[in-house]
Amino acid sequence: MGKQIWKPGNMVYPLPAVMVSTADKKGNTNILTIAWTGTVCTNPAMVYISVRPERYSYHMIKESGEFVINLTTEELIRATDFCGVRSGKDMDKWKECRLTEGRAVSLEYAPVIEQSPVNIECKVKSVQELGSHHMFLAEVTAVQADEKYMDENGKFELNKTGLLAYSHGEYLGLGKRLGTFGYSVRKKPAGKKKKGGRAGRDE
């Protein structure tokens, strides 16, 4: 069988499904779920989110210049979906989803979601009006990580938090580990030589 040719579209999947928390300068806060987010630079640490201008949170991000990317887990799947299909202009999503506002350590307005294992605090550097979505390019100003996922050596076990992914309209768990970074070129440890005689024979 061959391949069908489709019109141009966004088919880069899977994507992270994250809850973005933000606020305006009057103290009104909201949560929106987006999948169009990612890393753009390591040093300085920079990320982006793309948001439709008609979304309720858009004016908050524009006004305060702040937002928090809150990673989501299987335990947060209902809240993740709810915050993506309901508008904050009609309800208090924090209350409806039983989520807790926490203080960001580097931001003045936007709160973090306490139930999230990782909160990535961001300050907007520029806005690019691309069409259906506007892209907020932001610098990461702080990261909060839940201590309960630290192992005995102080390593943060992010992949044990039950992270969510979003692909073609579906939420997915990450599944089993298939490899680690660089495993395809890593040399295997040399086998131990047997004592005495020629290799592979016992004397």
Side-chain angles (χ1 to χ4, degrees):
M1 295 180 66
K3 292 187 177 181
Q4 296 182 6
I5 306 301
W6 294 353
K7 67 179 182 180
N10 294 307
M11 289 293 291
V12 181
Y13 291 116
L15 296 165
V18 301
M19 290 190 286
V20 173
S21 50
T22 189
D24 61 23
K25 291 185 177 181
K26 295 179 182 178
N28 300 305
T29 65
N30 193 46
I31 307 167
L32 74 157
T33 299
I34 60 172
W36 291 4
T37 181
T39 299
V40 293
C41 188
T42 300
N43 187 20
M46 298 191 73
V47 296
Y48 81 92
I49 59 172
S50 289
V51 183
R52 291 182 181 271
E54 58 266 27
R55 294 198 69 170
Y56 179 68
S57 293
Y58 178 86
H59 81 277
M60 294 185 174
I61 301 171
K62 283 271 286 194
E63 181 179 320
S64 67
E66 299 179 353
F67 61 87
V68 179
I69 295 174
N70 304 275
L71 300 191
T72 57
T73 64
E74 293 179 17
E75 292 182 357
L76 292 169
I77 186 169
R78 183 187 178 279
T80 302
D81 185 65
F82 188 91
C83 290
V85 297
R86 291 289 184 264
S87 175
K89 67 182 179 183
D90 302 320
M91 66 187 65
D92 183 344
K93 293 184 187 179
W94 297 94
K95 183 178 180 181
E96 290 290 332
C97 296
R98 298 180 181 179
L99 297 174
T100 307
E101 289 189 46
R103 278 189 70 86
V105 298
S106 65
L107 306 178
E108 185 175 355
Y109 303 103
V112 304
I113 298 175
E114 290 285 4
Q115 287 82 358
S116 172
V118 176
N119 316 106
I120 304 168
E121 303 178 15
C122 306
K123 289 186 178 180
V124 177
K125 291 297 181 181
S126 65
V127 183
Q128 295 189 35
E129 300 182 3
L130 302 174
S132 63
H133 290 67
H134 293 181
M135 184 180 74
F136 292 91
L137 187 63
E139 184 172 352
V140 176
T141 52
V143 176
Q144 297 190 36
D146 194 329
E147 291 182 337
K148 72 180 180 181
Y149 296 107
M150 298 287 185
D151 69 11
E152 62 275 8
N153 297 315
K155 178 185 176 182
F156 186 60
E157 299 282 2
L158 177 61
N159 292 328
K160 292 184 178 180
T161 62
L163 293 172
L164 283 182
Y166 179 81
S167 181
H168 206 48
E170 298 178 336
Y171 301 103
L172 306 169
L174 293 189
K176 66 179 181 179
R177 185 176 72 177
L178 301 178
T180 57
F181 179 76
Y183 85 98
S184 63
V185 296
R186 191 174 297 123
K187 292 183 178 179
K188 294 181 180 179
K192 293 182 179 179
K193 293 182 178 180
K194 293 184 178 181
K195 293 181 179 179
R198 285 177 288 181
R201 291 186 59 187
D202 291 328
E203 295 293 324

